[in-house]
Amino acid sequence: MLYQTPNPHGGDIYREPIRLDFSANTNPLGTPPGVLDAIREALPNIHRYPDPNCRELVKAISAFEGLPESCILCGNGAAELIYAYCEAVKPRVAVELAPTFSEYSLGLARTGCRTERYYLPEASDFTLDESFPAFLESVRPDVIFLCNPNNPTGKTAPAALLDQVLDYCRTRNARLFLDECFLDLSDRPDSRKGRLSDVPGLFILKAFTKSYGMAGVRLGYGLCADAGLLRAMSRAVQPWNVSLLAQAAGTAALKETAFLESTRALIQRERPWLKEQLEGLGFRVCPSEANYLLFRAPAELGQALRQRGVAIRCCDNYFGLGPGWFRTAVRTHEENRQLIQAMGAVLGKECL
């Protein structure tokens, strides 16, 4: 629970009435019916402790990912795994991108780690470029944090460049924390899990939050061939950290392959439309391969929309961004249409 602390993320629809939430990048189709059924079926058992080893869930993840069960660690959402990783590794020097997801640096700060940031160039729409490996050579980090696709830009790292980073980690005995939480909803769901065996320092983060619309359940998992690291991470969290309901929901979600395919098709159809409409309002919009768009607009837009019951993500707390940068989720066409109409009303422009 946050105690007298501002929420640095999207999804806070509780402090004032919000009818349209574009601030959280969850599945626009909601939660699969099969997942809701699984939660309902598990309700009579909530008087029991959950399986502390998540045996059925780990078995299902193993089949889904095509990896041994020994490579899997479940957690109470992706955020818990980020903090457990930082606690287990305790790096001296880490590298992260700017802008990127803020919980990496917050988790690292708890361990006293020095974080060096590679600032993505705004001129190229914050694309990770070929000078990144040279930056790594100059900094010599213990661990590198990469979000792929990146949050909030929605850009995936070029495949060859990502493999170059993995090769750097293998030869320099460095670690790579690769966040693939948005990968399943992207245009190119090309995971690097196939390199777990030859890069011992690779840890891949996955979550049910975005792909299956399960943000309120809190469930994520990590993939890694380093059993010692996974043991250390498990010691950094409380027992029974994954609830009985979350385990049931996750096991059911992994069967929803058609649901994911339908969601990707919706996003690929709606994202270009939404980008065009935002540009028509005079905003600068960065190209994206994920289920969200980063754009620049008048700094007062976010608060003005909230007064109309519409939430987008204000990005002024990201390193490398500032006032006037926003992120919006890509949702259903009707919701996207209502968002554009609300923006037009704020700006005094007629649209649609």
Side-chain angles (χ1 to χ4, degrees):
M1 182 183 86
L2 291 177
Y3 179 71
Q4 297 182 355
T5 304
N7 172 35
H9 304 295
D12 187 355
I13 59 172
Y14 304 100
R15 59 187 171 96
E16 55 197 8
I18 296 295
R19 58 184 177 85
L20 289 173
D21 183 17
F22 285 80
S23 68
N25 306 320
T26 56
N27 193 307
L29 297 179
T31 310
V35 172
L36 298 177
D37 289 341
I39 292 175
R40 281 189 286 265
E41 290 172 10
L43 284 174
N45 294 318
I46 61 172
H47 65 288
R48 303 181 187 277
Y49 281 104
D51 178 355
N53 298 105
C54 302
R55 292 173 179 87
E56 286 301 314
L57 177 57
V58 167
K59 182 178 179 180
I61 295 171
S62 173
F64 179 80
E65 298 286 2
L67 293 170
E69 295 182 18
S70 59
C71 291
I72 298 163
L73 178 68
C74 297
N76 185 253
E80 181 185 62
L81 291 167
I82 293 171
Y83 282 82
Y85 180 90
C86 295
E87 176 65 26
V89 173
K90 288 186 171 62
R92 295 172 296 105
V93 182
V95 161
E96 70 171 15
L97 305 181
T100 198
F101 188 48
S102 62
E103 292 299 327
Y104 310 143
S105 59
L106 292 173
L108 290 165
R110 287 188 177 187
T111 68
C113 178
R114 186 178 93 245
T115 301
E116 298 286 343
R117 294 184 176 87
Y118 182 80
Y119 283 83
L120 299 170
E122 181 180 335
S124 64
D125 295 317
F126 306 102
T127 300
L128 186 64
D129 56 33
E130 296 296 331
S131 61
F132 185 57
F135 179 80
L136 297 179
E137 288 287 0
S138 66
V139 175
R140 295 292 183 92
D142 302 309
V143 61
I144 304 158
F145 281 76
L146 287 181
C147 189
N148 194 45
N150 193 23
N151 174 12
T153 67
K155 307 275 281 190
T156 58
L161 181 56
L162 187 52
D163 283 327
Q164 197 174 346
V165 173
L166 284 163
D167 291 339
Y168 170 89
C169 290
R170 180 168 47 80
T171 58
R172 297 294 189 187
N173 197 30
R175 293 185 178 274
L176 174 62
F177 184 102
L178 186 59
D179 184 342
E180 294 186 350
C181 286
F182 287 105
L183 193 63
D184 287 341
L185 295 182
S186 73
D187 296 347
R188 295 184 293 170
D190 182 19
S191 173
R192 282 299 180 273
K193 63 185 177 183
R195 299 212 54 184
L196 288 170
S197 59
D198 76 298
V199 185
L202 173 60
F203 179 92
I204 296 177
L205 181 69
K206 300 288 290 285
F208 293 82
T209 305
K210 313 302 190 300
S211 300
Y212 303 100
M214 290 167 49
V217 174
R218 310 309 305 137
L219 181 61
Y221 61 95
L223 306 174
C224 186
D226 184 348
L229 172 62
L230 298 184
R231 280 194 296 270
M233 289 177 64
S234 71
R235 291 194 294 268
V237 300
Q238 62 177 321
W240 307 295
N241 59 321
V242 182
S243 74
L244 185 147
L245 298 181
Q247 292 184 40
T251 303
L254 294 172
K255 301 173 185 176
E256 299 284 350
T257 54
F259 183 83
L260 274 185
E261 291 171 3
S262 298
T263 304
R264 276 195 293 268
L266 170 67
I267 292 165
Q268 290 170 7
R269 184 171 64 249
E270 286 297 318
R271 189 180 60 226
W273 183 90
L274 185 57
K275 182 176 184 290
E276 181 181 1
Q277 298 299 317
L278 291 170
E279 290 172 336
L281 290 171
F283 305 155
R284 177 190 171 182
V285 187
C286 298
S288 169
E289 301 164 75
N291 60 318
Y292 45 93
L293 290 164
L294 178 68
F295 66 98
R296 194 164 199 170
E300 62 274 11
L301 177 67
Q303 187 55 42
L305 285 174
R306 288 196 77 95
Q307 292 172 359
R308 294 172 179 268
V310 179
I312 58 175
R313 174 66 158 89
C314 179
C315 295
D316 58 2
N317 66 332
Y318 280 88
F319 287 100
L321 298 179
W325 283 103
F326 298 93
R327 189 196 67 202
T328 179
V330 177
R331 300 199 57 79
T332 66
H333 185 72
E334 176 56 26
E335 289 173 307
N336 295 334
R337 188 185 65 79
Q338 291 182 49
L339 172 66
I340 296 300
Q341 284 185 326
M343 288 180 171
V346 167
L347 298 172
K349 296 182 179 180
E350 285 200 24
C351 50
L352 301 180

